[in-house]
Amino acid sequence: MSLFFDQTLTIGLDARALHRHERRGTGKNLADLYENVLRLRPGWRVIGYCRERTTLDTFGGPGYQAKLVDLPGDRFHAWERWRLPLAAWRDGVDLLHCPANTCPTWNPTPLALTVHDLLPMESTVFDAHRFRQSVEHAVRSRSPIITPSAYTASLLRKRFNAGDGQVTVIPWAADSSVKYMAPGEGRSRVCAKYGATEPFILHLGATDPRKNTQALIRAFSAVAPIVRSRWKLLVIGIDDPAWMEELDAQLGTLGCRDRVMLHAYAPQEDLAALFSAAGILAYPSKAEGFGLPILDAWATRAAVLTSHVTSLPEVAGDAALLVDPHDLCSIARGLGKLMAEQRLREELVRRGAARLTGYTWQRTAERFIDLVEKTVAQREHGLRLAA
């Protein structure tokens, strides 16, 4: 029996991503993770610290308490550096979980840091110095570091000299709200909002160049017209109006404006229908720490095209068509092959469904629980020895 199975244990959580109005990647993962953690450990308590009162009710349930920790302004990231660890210490948490790449470098309570990838080190938007400080602090303090892929774990060991026993690989699972939706009025109604008629290719676009949105559009335009004539490309997630205008101009130059649909952020309730209706998910990213949309595509019976770099082949295995994201011809060939060959799409969907059984939120929660319990047990053992 687990050491803490019958014992009350309190986790403090930096829950800002979980309590956003429009919950995205990390926030969705946290909701699935903690719902399963509290189901498996009903005696545990989780305090989710957030900054906005208006979002306190966006997540809850037995064992979970959303707590406002306010701070006027946030110069020098003072909320994360000081207010968060102070609140966790005052509440007597057994462990503070920082799930989004950064953490306080002063922490009077045990800490666990989730590092999704090392992409912030190369970003011009993210605070690379703060990211590096966080990881270096976690390594020095021997705090457990959680990462979703063996690829990222190897980079943490190589670039930050993190010990083998300090880094734990805990893969994610598919978004629990993105499930297969059979053809019907509900699915058709959602697709009509986006001007998407089946079959179509779904791409989760972004201004970030690593998502490769421009290259995918050029590759789609390069597919043989006899193949392309049956398909459309739906790009969602283009939230920057200037970027939208730039892409639209590119479509005009390529002469495929009538075959490519550009849309901004798609609300969570539309994703199941869009993934289910898409024949193909095109995900030729240049770099990812995991690649969660691949799992979402498998869960909704879409064939996957993705890249053969970073963590993506680790996740995809033999259940996706892999291409070189830096080679436009490679993307175009792969896309054309999937568009033309129904049997290939069906085979990849079958393999994806089989591979998806290895990625479940229960398994993810069990691994997280094991890490928490070991961390708290080691600290208590150390305190007893010190006494």
Side-chain angles (χ1 to χ4, degrees), residues 9-12 45 47 49 86-95 109:
L9 187 151
T10 302
I11 299 175
R45 179 179 174 226
I47 304 175
Y49 300 104
L86 183 61
W89 175 72
R90 285 177 173 171
D91 288 333
V93 306
D94 296 290
L95 181 79
T109 61

Side-chain angles (χ1 to χ4, degrees), residues 231-250:
W231 292 81
K232 287 189 175 183
L233 171 62
L234 171 61
V235 180
I236 60 173
I238 310 299
D239 290 345
D240 183 348
W243 180 242
M244 181 80 80
E245 289 183 11
E246 184 176 338
L247 290 179
D248 184 66
Q250 178 181 339

